[in-house]
């Protein structure tokens, strides 16, 4: 919903108008954003829970507002209601699939239980672990962490992850499907739960991305080389290991040779997540790796 719905533009509009001191317009955008709660919170709604179109994206939009405009611009009770809706949806799906013990929070999109950041478990768990979401510690430890561990055990021997729980093909190395998106979940788990195993596995993901992450599918973030390069920037911020900065720069060099690799032209060639804008954003982040962040996926 943040990237492929009304919530994202309304959240960005509220922030931009706020920074331009257009108070009335900022409040109007915020009011329209909050009005979307009806479909987000309804248990009968067909809204999914994933990041691009669903509840996790809506939660991200609310957290983004509070970060950019000020704490409690969106009150804590509203955020709690959205978190509860996401958690209850995951518990229901898990119970339906008889996976409550193994994966307490389970989600699907278009009848598939995707793993990746865009439509899957990694993006949802990552968002729930955001400190600003104030998810209770018992939910994090008893529901989120075992669910993350369940996903971890789906990793291929190569270090990559399948696109969905039912998929056995070790093919896609994208932010949307594969190790590049799972890395951000693992790093956030390391921050929250203070366990080295998560950071270790994030580093293992980075190895497969280094060897297989230059993509002819495009230069963008969702399923392109720029999105994969953010893996190295994120690991560099955590570890300060210059190996990751070097790798981030090499991926940037690939993006600088835009149009010379025979990559396909995306449906939206100038967009942030599919096209040229994503590559440009990634190149700009290389200039300041200490403060770089993954666009629309880090608070």
């Amino acid at each position: 919903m943040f990237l492929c719905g009304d919530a994202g533009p309304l959240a960005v509009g509220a922030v931009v108008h706020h920074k331009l001191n257009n108070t009335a317009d900022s409040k109007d955008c915020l009011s329209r954003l909050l009005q979307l709660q009806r479909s987000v919170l309804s248990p009968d709604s067909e809204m999914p829970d994933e990041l691009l179109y669903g509840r996790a994206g809506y939660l991200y939009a609310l957290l983004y507002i509070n970060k950019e405009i000020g704490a409690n611009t969106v009150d804590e009770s509203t955020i709690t209601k959205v978190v509860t809706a996401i958690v209850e949806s995951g518990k229901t799906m898990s119970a339906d699939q008889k996976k409550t013990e193994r994966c307490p929070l389970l989600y699907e999109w278009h009848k598939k239980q995707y793993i990746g950041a865009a439509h899957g478990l990694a993006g949802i768990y990552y968002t729930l672990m955001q400190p600003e979401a104030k998810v209770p510690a018992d939910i994090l430890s008893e529901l989120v962490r075992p669910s993350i561990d369940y996903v971890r055990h789906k990793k291929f021997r190569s270090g990559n992850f399948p696109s969905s729980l039912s998929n056995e093909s070790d093919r896609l190395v994208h932010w949307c499907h594969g190790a590049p998106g799972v890395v951000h979940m693992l790093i956030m788990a390391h921050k929250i739960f203070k366990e080295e195993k998560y950071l270790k596995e994030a580093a293992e993901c980075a190895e497969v991305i280094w060897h297989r992450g230059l993509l002819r599918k495009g230069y963008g973030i969702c399923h392109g080389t720029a999105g994969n390069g953010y893996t190295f920037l994120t690991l560099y911020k955590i570890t300060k290991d210059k190996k990751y900065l070097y790798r981030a720069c090499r991926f940037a060099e690939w993006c600088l040779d835009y149009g010379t690799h025979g990559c396909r032209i995306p449906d939206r060639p100038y967009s942030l997540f599919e096209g040229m804008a994503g590559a440009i954003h990634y190149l700009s982040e290389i200039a300041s790796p200490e403060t770089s962040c993954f666009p629309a996926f880090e608070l």
Side-chain angles (χ1 to χ4, degrees), residues 36-45 47 55 58 78 81-83 85:
L36 298 176
Q37 286 182 73
R38 185 177 304 170
S39 59
V40 172
L41 298 178
S42 172
D44 299 322
S45 171
M47 177 173 289
R55 293 186 179 93
Y58 187 71
T78 298
K81 289 176 184 177
V82 177
V83 167

mmCIF file of all heavy atoms in Angstrom, residues 36-45 47 55 58 78 81-83 85:
data_model
loop_
_atom_site.group_PDB
_atom_site.id
_atom_site.type_symbol
_atom_site.label_atom_id
_atom_site.label_comp_id
_atom_site.label_asym_id
_atom_site.label_seq_id
_atom_site.Cartn_x
_atom_site.Cartn_y
_atom_site.Cartn_z
ATOM 1 N N LEU A 36 -8.171 5.686 5.412
ATOM 2 C CA LEU A 36 -7.982 4.367 4.797
ATOM 3 C C LEU A 36 -8.040 3.234 5.822
ATOM 4 O O LEU A 36 -8.044 2.061 5.447
ATOM 5 C CB LEU A 36 -6.631 4.316 4.069
ATOM 6 C CG LEU A 36 -6.441 5.290 2.899
ATOM 7 C CD1 LEU A 36 -5.016 5.180 2.362
ATOM 8 C CD2 LEU A 36 -7.446 5.016 1.794
ATOM 9 N N GLN A 37 -8.080 3.603 7.102
ATOM 10 C CA GLN A 37 -8.084 2.584 8.155
ATOM 11 C C GLN A 37 -9.226 1.591 8.022
ATOM 12 O O GLN A 37 -9.076 0.420 8.376
ATOM 13 C CB GLN A 37 -8.198 3.243 9.530
ATOM 14 C CG GLN A 37 -6.958 3.924 10.025
ATOM 15 C CD GLN A 37 -7.197 4.496 11.408
ATOM 16 O OE1 GLN A 37 -7.271 3.775 12.387
ATOM 17 N NE2 GLN A 37 -7.339 5.812 11.475
ATOM 18 N N ARG A 38 -10.351 2.065 7.511
ATOM 19 C CA ARG A 38 -11.534 1.209 7.466
ATOM 20 C C ARG A 38 -11.246 -0.102 6.732
ATOM 21 O O ARG A 38 -11.547 -1.190 7.236
ATOM 22 C CB ARG A 38 -12.683 1.956 6.781
ATOM 23 C CG ARG A 38 -13.998 1.197 6.789
ATOM 24 C CD ARG A 38 -15.102 2.036 6.170
ATOM 25 N NE ARG A 38 -15.220 3.314 6.852
ATOM 26 C CZ ARG A 38 -15.972 4.322 6.386
ATOM 27 N NH1 ARG A 38 -16.643 4.190 5.260
ATOM 28 N NH2 ARG A 38 -16.042 5.448 7.064
ATOM 29 N N SER A 39 -10.650 -0.007 5.559
ATOM 30 C CA SER A 39 -10.352 -1.224 4.798
ATOM 31 C C SER A 39 -9.147 -1.961 5.363
ATOM 32 O O SER A 39 -9.051 -3.188 5.263
ATOM 33 C CB SER A 39 -10.107 -0.885 3.324
ATOM 34 O OG SER A 39 -9.032 0.021 3.187
ATOM 35 N N VAL A 40 -8.225 -1.209 5.983
ATOM 36 C CA VAL A 40 -7.025 -1.832 6.553
ATOM 37 C C VAL A 40 -7.372 -2.684 7.765
ATOM 38 O O VAL A 40 -6.856 -3.792 7.939
ATOM 39 C CB VAL A 40 -5.992 -0.754 6.946
ATOM 40 C CG1 VAL A 40 -4.831 -1.367 7.722
ATOM 41 C CG2 VAL A 40 -5.466 -0.042 5.703
ATOM 42 N N LEU A 41 -8.256 -2.204 8.601
ATOM 43 C CA LEU A 41 -8.548 -2.860 9.869
ATOM 44 C C LEU A 41 -9.661 -3.899 9.787
ATOM 45 O O LEU A 41 -9.762 -4.753 10.669
ATOM 46 C CB LEU A 41 -8.917 -1.812 10.924
ATOM 47 C CG LEU A 41 -7.829 -0.783 11.259
ATOM 48 C CD1 LEU A 41 -8.342 0.215 12.282
ATOM 49 C CD2 LEU A 41 -6.570 -1.470 11.765
ATOM 50 N N SER A 42 -10.471 -3.838 8.762
ATOM 51 C CA SER A 42 -11.602 -4.754 8.684
ATOM 52 C C SER A 42 -11.131 -6.194 8.488
ATOM 53 O O SER A 42 -10.398 -6.491 7.539
ATOM 54 C CB SER A 42 -12.518 -4.360 7.516
ATOM 55 O OG SER A 42 -13.507 -5.353 7.321
ATOM 56 N N PRO A 43 -11.564 -7.113 9.358
ATOM 57 C CA PRO A 43 -11.169 -8.524 9.190
ATOM 58 C C PRO A 43 -11.791 -9.154 7.949
ATOM 59 O O PRO A 43 -11.341 -10.197 7.474
ATOM 60 C CB PRO A 43 -11.683 -9.185 10.480
ATOM 61 C CG PRO A 43 -12.788 -8.299 10.948
ATOM 62 C CD PRO A 43 -12.404 -6.903 10.545
ATOM 63 N N ASP A 44 -12.849 -8.523 7.422
ATOM 64 C CA ASP A 44 -13.526 -9.037 6.227
ATOM 65 C C ASP A 44 -12.945 -8.458 4.943
ATOM 66 O O ASP A 44 -13.368 -8.823 3.849
ATOM 67 C CB ASP A 44 -15.027 -8.718 6.290
ATOM 68 C CG ASP A 44 -15.697 -9.357 7.501
ATOM 69 O OD1 ASP A 44 -15.320 -10.491 7.838
ATOM 70 O OD2 ASP A 44 -16.570 -8.707 8.107
ATOM 71 N N SER A 45 -11.990 -7.542 5.094
ATOM 72 C CA SER A 45 -11.379 -6.924 3.923
ATOM 73 C C SER A 45 -10.511 -7.936 3.188
ATOM 74 O O SER A 45 -9.916 -8.831 3.777
ATOM 75 C CB SER A 45 -10.513 -5.731 4.353
ATOM 76 O OG SER A 45 -9.741 -5.248 3.273
ATOM 77 N N MET A 47 -7.888 -7.069 1.721
ATOM 78 C CA MET A 47 -6.558 -6.479 1.671
ATOM 79 C C MET A 47 -5.507 -7.473 2.157
ATOM 80 O O MET A 47 -5.673 -8.106 3.197
ATOM 81 C CB MET A 47 -6.497 -5.221 2.538
ATOM 82 C CG MET A 47 -5.113 -4.578 2.586
ATOM 83 S SD MET A 47 -5.113 -2.990 3.444
ATOM 84 C CE MET A 47 -5.980 -1.976 2.240
ATOM 85 N N ARG A 55 -1.263 -4.250 4.373
ATOM 86 C CA ARG A 55 -1.266 -3.627 5.697
ATOM 87 C C ARG A 55 0.136 -3.218 6.157
ATOM 88 O O ARG A 55 0.290 -2.201 6.830
ATOM 89 C CB ARG A 55 -1.882 -4.587 6.723
ATOM 90 C CG ARG A 55 -3.374 -4.841 6.497
ATOM 91 C CD ARG A 55 -3.975 -5.691 7.622
ATOM 92 N NE ARG A 55 -5.407 -5.900 7.411
ATOM 93 C CZ ARG A 55 -5.930 -6.950 6.778
ATOM 94 N NH1 ARG A 55 -5.117 -7.899 6.313
ATOM 95 N NH2 ARG A 55 -7.227 -7.064 6.606
ATOM 96 N N TYR A 58 0.830 0.042 4.748
ATOM 97 C CA TYR A 58 0.090 1.098 5.448
ATOM 98 C C TYR A 58 0.763 1.434 6.772
ATOM 99 O O TYR A 58 0.907 2.621 7.131
ATOM 100 C CB TYR A 58 -1.352 0.661 5.692
ATOM 101 C CG TYR A 58 -2.226 1.745 6.268
ATOM 102 C CD1 TYR A 58 -2.616 2.835 5.490
ATOM 103 C CD2 TYR A 58 -2.665 1.684 7.583
ATOM 104 C CE1 TYR A 58 -3.422 3.840 6.014
ATOM 105 C CE2 TYR A 58 -3.476 2.676 8.116
ATOM 106 C CZ TYR A 58 -3.848 3.753 7.329
ATOM 107 O OH TYR A 58 -4.643 4.759 7.852
ATOM 108 N N THR A 78 -3.641 4.280 17.025
ATOM 109 C CA THR A 78 -3.882 3.955 15.611
ATOM 110 C C THR A 78 -2.853 2.959 15.114
ATOM 111 O O THR A 78 -3.185 1.968 14.440
ATOM 112 C CB THR A 78 -3.840 5.228 14.756
ATOM 113 O OG1 THR A 78 -4.893 6.112 15.177
ATOM 114 C CG2 THR A 78 -4.007 4.907 13.279
ATOM 115 N N LYS A 81 -3.553 -0.482 16.472
ATOM 116 C CA LYS A 81 -4.649 -1.165 15.781
ATOM 117 C C LYS A 81 -4.167 -1.817 14.486
ATOM 118 O O LYS A 81 -4.567 -2.938 14.163
ATOM 119 C CB LYS A 81 -5.777 -0.173 15.484
ATOM 120 C CG LYS A 81 -6.552 0.290 16.696
ATOM 121 C CD LYS A 81 -7.577 1.334 16.301
ATOM 122 C CE LYS A 81 -8.304 1.893 17.516
ATOM 123 N NZ LYS A 81 -9.262 2.970 17.121
ATOM 124 N N VAL A 82 -3.309 -1.126 13.756
ATOM 125 C CA VAL A 82 -2.798 -1.677 12.494
ATOM 126 C C VAL A 82 -1.891 -2.868 12.775
ATOM 127 O O VAL A 82 -1.974 -3.904 12.103
ATOM 128 C CB VAL A 82 -2.064 -0.594 11.685
ATOM 129 C CG1 VAL A 82 -1.478 -1.187 10.407
ATOM 130 C CG2 VAL A 82 -3.011 0.553 11.343
ATOM 131 N N VAL A 83 -1.020 -2.725 13.771
ATOM 132 C CA VAL A 83 -0.148 -3.842 14.161
ATOM 133 C C VAL A 83 -0.996 -5.052 14.555
ATOM 134 O O VAL A 83 -0.721 -6.187 14.128
ATOM 135 C CB VAL A 83 0.781 -3.430 15.324
ATOM 136 C CG1 VAL A 83 1.441 -4.658 15.945
ATOM 137 C CG2 VAL A 83 1.833 -2.449 14.843
ATOM 138 N N ALA A 85 -4.002 -5.821 13.621
ATOM 139 C CA ALA A 85 -4.646 -6.395 12.436
ATOM 140 C C ALA A 85 -3.678 -7.290 11.673
ATOM 141 O O ALA A 85 -4.053 -8.375 11.205
ATOM 142 C CB ALA A 85 -5.175 -5.275 11.536
#
